[in-house]
Amino acid sequence: MRWSPSEEQDELRRTVRRFLEETSPTTEVRRLMETPEGYEPGVWKRLSQELGLPGVHVPEQYGGQGLGFAELAIVLEEMGRALLCAPYFASVALATNAILNAGTESQKAALLPALASGESIATLALTEPSGRWDLGGIELQAQRVADGFTLFGEKSFVPDGLTADRIVVAARRPKTDGREGIGLFHLRGDTAGLERRPLTTLDPTRKLARLGFRGARAEPLGEVGNAAAALEKTLDQAAALLANEMAGGAQRLLEMTVEYAKTRVQFGRPIGSFQAIKHKCADMLMSLELARSSAYYAAGCADESAKELPAVASLAKAQGSDAYLEIAAEAIQIHGGLGFTWEQDVHLYFKRAKASEVFLGDPTYHRELFAQRTGL
């Protein structure tokens, strides 16, 4: 496993950063988070066609670039740094990986090229109104009918669920519980019997929706009722990627805060010259480095499909959540409280940090998973 980026990975990072500095300044973030769609189709088209980002880790036979999770983690770290408003995490980190993990060869060949090219945008509908991220929380039922399956139930907190044109849904066979009877299904966003409505959220830079399934027809991904392992693998990969996205946001917060501490003058000297501010900035850097190291390691495990991925992904998600939120809180303090006003960009990162803390499961949930997975 590599511990330092290659020259090609450094060039990928520079390319993505230049693109996002041009297309996702905070003025644009503020504009897009007020729109129902939450993203700019022109920017999505450019990042798809010019950079090929939706297909970074998708194998070449399915229309992707054939790189790996290490490169995908770099892309998401930069997107987290820029607070990019786009359905990238939903479509790439969740839905595309679910199809890769659960789909048959013919299903991958049919579904992945459109996702890898950015022509199609998908999401994964897992969580229900209970807010649980474990498989035992899945109650939505898939009922077999003469020529397929119909879905009945509710999904909530679905990222970009309002705009995705394809939905991957976690459901279960009737009269099953736990990991038993879990299946993944997919359907188009305009399928009859699918109701979608937006949710009002703390972090408007990542749109969430509630989906109602009232007998919506859906196609199974892979073997019906035997998708628990594929879904757990998808969630572990997503946790590792989210940890990298959070590290990118925390890095940008630290940069903004240090710059402010150098320029804000109080009692005739920059506030960054006071020992208390120096200590806070040093603590922020330490938290960031620990979180980033675990996030990189988790991405490396995902890249190599290592057996330790489940434990490491949970560790990275818990550590990244804590670090991002702590750094955001300290950034607000060093900005003298100004950081939580509408005019200051720090509050945008604080809200993303708070929302990411619970997205895919909060730190307590992941520490429990880590303990179970390592036998503690």
Side-chain angles (χ1 to χ4, degrees):
M1 186 179 298
R2 291 185 61 90
W3 290 97
S4 59
S6 66
E7 185 177 334
E8 291 78 11
Q9 289 171 336
D10 282 336
E11 179 57 29
L12 173 64
R13 182 186 299 280
R14 287 192 291 269
T15 300
V16 174
R17 183 171 296 187
R18 283 197 300 269
F19 178 81
L20 294 175
E21 287 175 348
E22 174 195 346
T23 59
S24 185
T26 52
T27 52
E28 188 67 358
V29 171
R30 290 171 181 273
R31 182 183 75 81
L32 291 172
M33 70 186 196
E34 299 297 336
T35 65
E37 299 79 12
Y39 76 104
E40 173 56 53
V43 172
W44 179 261
K45 185 176 180 180
R46 286 187 60 194
L47 71 82
S48 300
Q49 296 184 352
E50 295 177 18
L51 304 182
L53 297 186
V56 162
H57 74 305
V58 176
E60 291 179 313
Q61 67 263 37
Y62 306 131
Q65 297 193 48
L67 300 176
F69 277 86
E71 286 77 14
L72 182 55
I74 289 172
V75 172
L76 280 163
E77 186 181 357
E78 291 303 312
M79 289 182 174
R81 173 189 171 88
L83 279 183
L84 176 69
C85 292
Y88 191 84
F89 196 93
S91 191
V92 179
L94 290 171
T96 296
N97 283 333
I99 294 169
L100 280 168
N101 294 329
T104 63
E105 282 303 309
S106 61
Q107 289 171 335
K108 295 175 188 177
L111 297 172
L112 290 175
L115 293 176
S117 69
E119 177 186 349
S120 177
I121 294 171
T123 188
L124 173 65
L126 168 67
T127 322
E128 303 188 359
S130 67
R132 293 174 59 180
W133 290 93
D134 63 298
L135 273 54
I138 298 173
E139 296 183 354
L140 188 143
Q141 291 198 356
Q143 297 185 0
R144 186 183 291 275
V145 293
D147 55 347
F149 288 85
T150 54
L151 304 181
F152 295 87
E154 297 277 344
K155 291 292 184 183
S156 194
F157 317 112
V158 181
D160 298 293
L162 190 66
T163 53
D165 56 60
R166 186 166 295 279
I167 316 292
V168 178
V169 187
R172 67 168 61 254
R173 292 187 310 219
K175 300 180 181 179
T176 62
D177 57 17
R179 298 177 81 254
E180 181 190 5
I182 296 293
L184 284 171
F185 297 80
H186 68 98
L187 67 162
R188 294 190 58 84
D190 57 359
T191 301
L194 171 63
E195 300 170 357
R196 307 198 279 185
R197 63 184 178 87
L199 293 175
T200 301
T201 60
L202 173 70
D203 171 29
T205 65
R206 185 163 7 233
K207 301 295 183 183
L208 301 178
R210 176 167 290 192
L211 308 184
F213 296 84
R214 316 286 184 240
R217 298 295 298 269
E219 298 293 325
L221 276 173
E223 184 180 352
V224 176
N226 196 27
L231 181 54
E232 287 175 335
K233 182 178 180 181
T234 301
L235 294 175
D236 290 336
Q237 292 166 337
L241 294 170
L242 182 58
N244 282 272
E245 184 194 277
M246 291 189 291
Q251 172 68 50
R252 181 65 188 129
L253 265 177
L254 178 58
E255 293 169 0
M256 293 164 61
T257 303
V258 170
E259 183 62 29
Y260 182 82
K262 289 180 179 176
T263 56
R264 171 66 189 273
V265 175
Q266 193 73 24
F267 306 115
R269 49 192 284 199
I271 62 172
S273 65
F274 292 107
Q275 197 70 16
I277 300 298
K278 292 179 181 177
H279 284 169
K280 282 183 178 292
C281 290
D283 289 343
M284 292 165 71
L285 177 62
M286 288 295 294
S287 295
L288 170 61
E289 289 300 324
L290 289 171
R292 182 156 48 200
S293 296
S294 60
Y296 284 177
Y297 187 75
C301 289
D303 216 15
E304 299 180 357
S305 297
K307 291 182 179 179
E308 60 195 304
L309 171 62
V312 173
S314 283
L315 178 64
K317 173 62 174 66
Q319 197 162 16
S321 296
D322 287 345
Y324 196 4
L325 198 55
E326 289 168 6
I327 290 170
E330 292 289 21
I332 290 172
Q333 289 295 313
I334 293 175
H335 280 78
L338 172 70
F340 204 71
T341 63
W342 183 249
E343 294 78 9
Q344 235 292 339
D345 291 338
V346 171
H347 86 102
L348 299 177
Y349 287 86
F350 177 84
K351 290 176 179 176
R352 173 65 75 89
K354 187 60 183 174
S356 295
E357 180 190 29
V358 296
F359 185 44
L360 300 180
D362 65 21
T364 300
Y365 169 73
H366 276 285
R367 287 197 174 89
E368 175 61 30
L369 277 183
F370 176 78
Q372 293 175 10
R373 289 167 165 177
T374 55
L376 293 176

